[in-house]
């Protein structure tokens, strides 16, 4: 029989803080054969990412340790391998795509420099040869007009584009094993299908194996060969994907398979006041060239968008990465400059300065896509959530603020005792819930939710959808819900606008858009979201 490419045997991971020790992974064992895709699935905090990081010894040692286990790759135990051996393996034979690209990409270097650094370090490739390879990689992962993106910095790309750059970096050296930690989390459904198709093709061409970590069980069923289900640091069930999905043996596996955002959004009430209104909103970014840096063109991120959002209503904004969804939300929240009229609770705020906007910030809140980038690593969770209260509700005593923080954490499904911990001590899904709690603690009127469920596993997605519905009903909140997950949008939105290259290509009541979309682009998005295979004929070739 063929020997496993990677063999994990009785792996345990313990974290030490002060005098306390907690076991995050407990006796995990699995093999990955050459050319095989093995998926690790489970809820946030189940130990999936900790297991994956252990393969390349990326955990924060010495606060992390391995009470037991070995990780064999090419006959070498990576847990005991010296640093020179690990340097030869990392980025060359084994590469990794991380969940949050903004924390993995250097904000001071261009995309060309960051991918080129990998090619230079591992292959000695520089100059025109390196540039040609970089353009090839960017094309492979679906970056449009890659020549224009070479000199871009990470902050100039959308969340999905940043994730695609990370995938390009990971594939640059054609590794034997790719560890993909939620690689499609930030991607819209059509690009998600393209990326999975790309990874599947590369796996076939190069015999590449994959350890695929995800909370999206639909992807696992379409993409993986075998699956290991984790909870509480243990693998509770494993086997061929079809066997596990068709006939799950463990109660927890059945629970995961049954979890999906469900229900209908609250009915829109046209008699309620308009909370947010935009007319002919434009956000154009200048393109400068030449010695005098003259403006030669514009990137029309948002180009003539109008909308109206009432109290108690959710407006879903959908479209591919780079279509202008987040830019539109930032313009409405007056976090970037724009042209056109923006009215918040009847007040024209389109020309408001930062100082003029400050008194309105408690009623106008944002939950960003990347929670790790928006939560201060130097502040405890309690301090992060209470920060807005200190600015906008100064009359509260320390005890009253603490009580509000505890309430907010409870509302988003976190133990209030965790308020003394720091963001890096939480999983990606838990960090997103903290970001939601920070927004909700001020009880706002309008909330821009930018991919708030993208980092969450299926069971938590369903809980957050229910939570957002409950909060909306209780406080008459108006939501601008930006997402590429159309199943979540369907469960939350009353009205939907579909964006592409800065323009609205279709809009209408959510029920109509989902039941009978009129535009081919919208039909392609629906096909990708609700039948992943259909996207290959309906959307990729557009």
């Amino acid at each position: 029989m063929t020997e496993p490419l990677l063999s994990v045997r009785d792996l345990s991971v313990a974290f030490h803080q002060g005098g306390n020790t907690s076991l995050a992974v407990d006796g995990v064992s699995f093999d990955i054969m050459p050319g095989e895709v093995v998926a690790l699935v489970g809820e946030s905090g189940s130990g999936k990412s900790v297991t994956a990081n252990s393969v390349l010894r990326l955990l924060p040692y010495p606060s992390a340790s391995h009470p037991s286990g070995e990780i064999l790759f090419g006959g070498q135990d990576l847990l005991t391998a010296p640093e020179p051996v690990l340097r030869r393996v990392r980025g060359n034979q084994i590469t990794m795509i991380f969940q949050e690209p903004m924390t993995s990409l250097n904000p001071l270097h261009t995309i060309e420099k960051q991918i080129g650094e990998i090619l230079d370090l591992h292959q000695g490739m520089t100059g025109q040869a390196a540039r040609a390879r970089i353009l090839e990689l960017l094309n492979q992962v679906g970056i449009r007009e890659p020549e224009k993106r070479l000199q871009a910095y990470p902050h100039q790309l959308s969340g999905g584009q940043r994730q695609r750059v990370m995938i390009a970096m990971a594939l640059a050296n054609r590794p034997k094993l790719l560890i993909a930690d939620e690689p499609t989390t930030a991607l819209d459904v059509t690009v998600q299908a393209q990326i999975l198709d790309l990874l599947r093709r590369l796996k076939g061409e190069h015999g590449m194996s994959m350890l695929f970590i995800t909370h999206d069980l639909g992807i696992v069923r379409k993409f993986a060969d075998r699956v290991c289900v984790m909870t509480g640091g243990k693998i509770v069930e494993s086997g061929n994907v079809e066997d596990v999905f068709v006939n799950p043996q463990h109660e927890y596996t059945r629970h995961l398979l049954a979890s999906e955002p469900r229900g209908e959004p609250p009915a829109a009430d046209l008699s309620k006041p308009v909370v947010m209104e935009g007319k002919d909103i434009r956000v154009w970014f200048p393109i400068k060239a030449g010695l005098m840096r003259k403006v030669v063109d514009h990137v029309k991120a948002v180009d003539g968008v109008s909308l109206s959002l009432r109290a108690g209503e959710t407006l879903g904004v959908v479209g591919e990465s780079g279509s202008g969804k987040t830019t539109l939300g930032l313009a409405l929240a007056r976090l970037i400059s724009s042209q056109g009229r923006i009215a918040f609770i009847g007040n024209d705020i389109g020309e408001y300065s930062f100082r003029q906007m400050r008194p309105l910030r408690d009623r106008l809140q944002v939950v960003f896509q990347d929670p790790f980038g928006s939560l201060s690593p130097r502040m405890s969770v309690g301090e992060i959530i209470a920060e807005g209260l200190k600015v906008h509700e100064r009359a509260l005593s320390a005890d009253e603020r603490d009580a509000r923080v505890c309430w907010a954490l409870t509302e988003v499904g976190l133990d209030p005792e965790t308020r003394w911990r720091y963001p890096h001590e939480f999983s990606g899904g838990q960090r997103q819930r903290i970001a939601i709690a920070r927004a909700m603690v001020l009880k706002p009127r309008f909330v821009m939710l930018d991919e708030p469920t993208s980092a969450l596993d299926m069971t938590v997605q369903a809980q957050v959808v229910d939570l957002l519905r409950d909060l909306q009903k209780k406080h008459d909140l108006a939501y601008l819900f930006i997402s590429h997950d159309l199943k979540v949008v369907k469960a939350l939105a009353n009205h939907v606008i579909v964006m592409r290259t800065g323009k609205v290509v279709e809009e209408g009541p959510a029920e109509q858009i989902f039941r009978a979309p009129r535009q081919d682009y919208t039909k392609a998005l629906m096909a990708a979201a609700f039948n992943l295979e259909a996207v290959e004929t309906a959307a990729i070739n557009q």
Side-chain angles (χ1 to χ4, degrees):
M1 292 181 64
T2 305
E3 289 292 319
L5 177 68
L6 183 79
S7 185
V8 177
R9 300 177 181 173
D10 193 32
L11 176 68
S12 296
V13 182
F15 288 97
H16 313 279
Q17 186 175 23
N20 299 320
T21 298
S22 60
L23 201 61
V25 175
D26 186 7
V28 164
S29 298
F30 62 88
D31 293 332
I32 302 178
M33 306 302 289
E36 184 180 42
V37 177
V38 174
L40 280 181
V41 302
E43 294 178 291
S44 298
S46 62
K48 307 185 302 295
S49 295
V50 173
T51 300
N53 285 324
S54 297
V55 173
L56 289 174
R57 298 224 319 253
L58 298 178
L59 296 175
Y61 302 99
S63 61
S65 66
H66 300 285
S68 67
E70 56 184 4
I71 300 175
L72 302 177
F73 180 77
Q76 175 81 53
D77 184 2
L78 298 181
L79 289 183
T80 59
E83 194 62 31
V85 172
L86 284 176
R87 281 199 296 268
R88 287 195 297 271
V89 171
R90 291 171 179 156
N92 192 23
Q93 298 180 64
I94 302 177
T95 59
M96 191 164 182
I97 304 168
F98 294 96
Q99 181 175 354
E100 291 159 337
M102 198 59 178
T103 61
S104 305
L105 296 171
N106 191 321
L108 302 179
H109 292 168
T110 64
I111 299 308
E112 180 178 20
K113 183 170 182 178
Q114 296 192 57
I115 302 177
E117 185 178 25
I118 295 173
L119 296 172
D120 185 15
L121 181 65
H122 292 285
Q123 299 183 33
M125 187 183 294
T126 58
Q128 289 301 315
R131 172 168 280 214
R133 175 64 176 152
I134 293 168
L135 290 172
E136 178 188 358
L137 288 165
L138 293 179
N139 267 313
Q140 282 183 332
V141 298
I143 297 286
R144 295 175 182 169
E145 301 180 305
E147 296 86 356
K148 294 183 178 180
R149 298 297 185 183
L150 290 178
Q151 299 307 310
Y153 291 86
H155 73 274
Q156 296 174 305
L157 304 179
S158 69
Q161 289 169 332
R162 287 194 291 264
Q163 189 68 291
R164 280 178 270 179
V165 170
M166 282 295 302
I167 294 170
M169 293 170 68
L171 297 178
N173 295 310
R174 300 182 175 91
K176 293 180 180 178
L177 174 64
L178 174 65
I179 301 173
D181 188 357
E182 301 280 6
T184 58
T185 290
L187 303 181
D188 56 79
V189 286
T190 54
V191 177
Q192 181 183 96
Q194 293 175 37
I195 293 299
L196 293 175
D197 183 63
L198 167 66
L199 293 175
R200 188 182 292 112
R201 178 165 52 81
L202 290 171
K203 180 177 81 74
E205 290 176 358
H206 305 292
M208 181 177 68
S209 301
M210 290 183 62
L211 178 60
F212 198 91
I213 299 166
T214 184
H215 62 258
D216 192 328
L217 299 179
I219 291 177
V220 172
R221 189 163 194 173
K222 301 287 185 183
F223 189 67
D225 301 304
R226 286 191 301 115
V227 60
C228 299
V229 181
M230 290 190 71
T231 184
K234 296 183 178 182
I235 292 178
V236 296
E237 186 167 356
S238 63
N240 292 329
V241 167
E242 200 61 27
D243 293 340
V244 171
F245 274 71
V246 172
N247 188 26
Q249 299 299 306
H250 197 275
E251 181 181 352
Y252 179 73
T253 309
R254 292 193 290 270
H255 168 67
L256 280 183
L257 292 172
S259 298
E260 187 174 287
R262 301 179 188 278
E264 300 293 332
D269 186 346
L270 299 181
S271 67
K272 290 185 177 180
V274 173
V275 174
M276 181 65 73
E277 186 177 17
K279 290 187 177 180
D280 194 28
I281 300 172
R282 285 164 291 157
V283 181
W284 292 11
F285 296 108
I287 299 174
K288 298 180 180 181
L291 184 63
M292 303 301 293
R293 306 299 294 165
K294 291 184 177 180
V295 176
V296 296
D297 202 352
H298 288 86
V299 175
K300 299 178 181 180
V302 177
D303 192 15
V305 175
S306 298
L307 56 88
S308 180
L309 181 58
R310 296 179 181 275
E313 184 182 16
T314 299
L315 174 62
V317 184
V318 303
E320 294 179 301
S321 296
S323 62
K325 305 186 302 294
T326 297
T327 304
L328 173 64
L330 294 175
L332 289 171
R334 297 295 298 135
L335 294 174
I336 58 173
S337 297
S338 63
Q339 293 177 305
R341 182 175 185 270
I342 299 174
F344 177 56
I345 319 180
N347 298 315
D348 190 343
I349 62 171
E351 300 298 327
Y352 273 26
S353 66
F354 176 82
R355 184 181 295 275
Q356 289 172 308
M357 283 299 302
R358 187 169 182 176
L360 302 177
R361 291 294 177 198
D362 60 333
R363 288 172 285 170
L364 196 157
Q365 286 289 296
V366 180
V367 177
F368 292 99
Q369 180 177 354
D370 180 2
F372 201 75
S374 63
L375 301 177
S376 172
R378 297 181 177 86
M379 299 170 68
S380 70
V381 166
E383 291 171 331
I384 289 169
I385 297 173
E387 188 176 24
L389 296 174
K390 290 181 178 179
V391 173
H392 295 286
E393 299 191 29
R394 297 181 180 181
L396 293 178
S397 67
D399 288 343
E400 288 171 331
R401 278 199 305 271
D402 190 56
R404 283 276 290 274
V405 169
C406 292
W407 168 83
L409 287 169
T410 302
E411 286 287 280
V412 298
L414 290 175
D415 185 350
E417 290 301 314
T418 61
R419 66 190 185 280
W420 310 114
R421 293 163 58 185
Y422 289 81
H424 73 273
E425 299 178 77
F426 293 84
S427 68
Q430 290 168 326
R431 286 195 288 266
Q432 190 64 288
R433 281 181 274 176
I434 293 166
I436 294 171
R438 176 177 60 180
M440 295 303 177
V441 76
L442 289 169
K443 300 180 180 178
R445 293 284 306 278
F446 169 86
V447 183
M448 179 190 119
L449 298 148
D450 188 2
E451 303 280 6
T453 61
S454 64
L456 305 180
D457 54 76
M458 296 295 287
T459 55
V460 179
Q461 273 189 7
Q463 294 169 17
V464 169
V465 167
D466 290 340
L467 168 65
L468 292 173
R469 277 204 211 101
D470 291 343
L471 289 170
Q472 185 175 52
K473 184 177 180 180
K474 186 177 180 180
H475 302 291
D476 226 15
L477 295 169
Y479 292 146
L480 183 76
F481 193 87
I482 298 167
S483 182
H484 64 260
D485 191 333
L486 299 187
K487 292 179 181 179
V488 177
V489 174
K490 186 178 181 181
L492 270 176
N494 308 100
H495 199 86
V496 172
I497 64 174
V498 182
M499 293 188 66
R500 190 179 195 186
T501 60
K503 292 181 178 291
V504 175
V505 297
E506 186 168 355
E507 69 172 305
E511 184 181 358
Q512 173 193 311
I513 295 291
F514 283 98
R515 186 184 70 252
R518 297 185 300 273
Q519 301 297 320
D520 289 341
Y521 177 68
T522 311
K523 293 175 183 177
L525 287 179
M526 298 302 167
F530 298 103
N531 181 7
L532 198 57
E533 292 175 343
V535 74
E536 297 183 5
T537 57
I540 291 178
N541 295 322
Q542 282 198 12

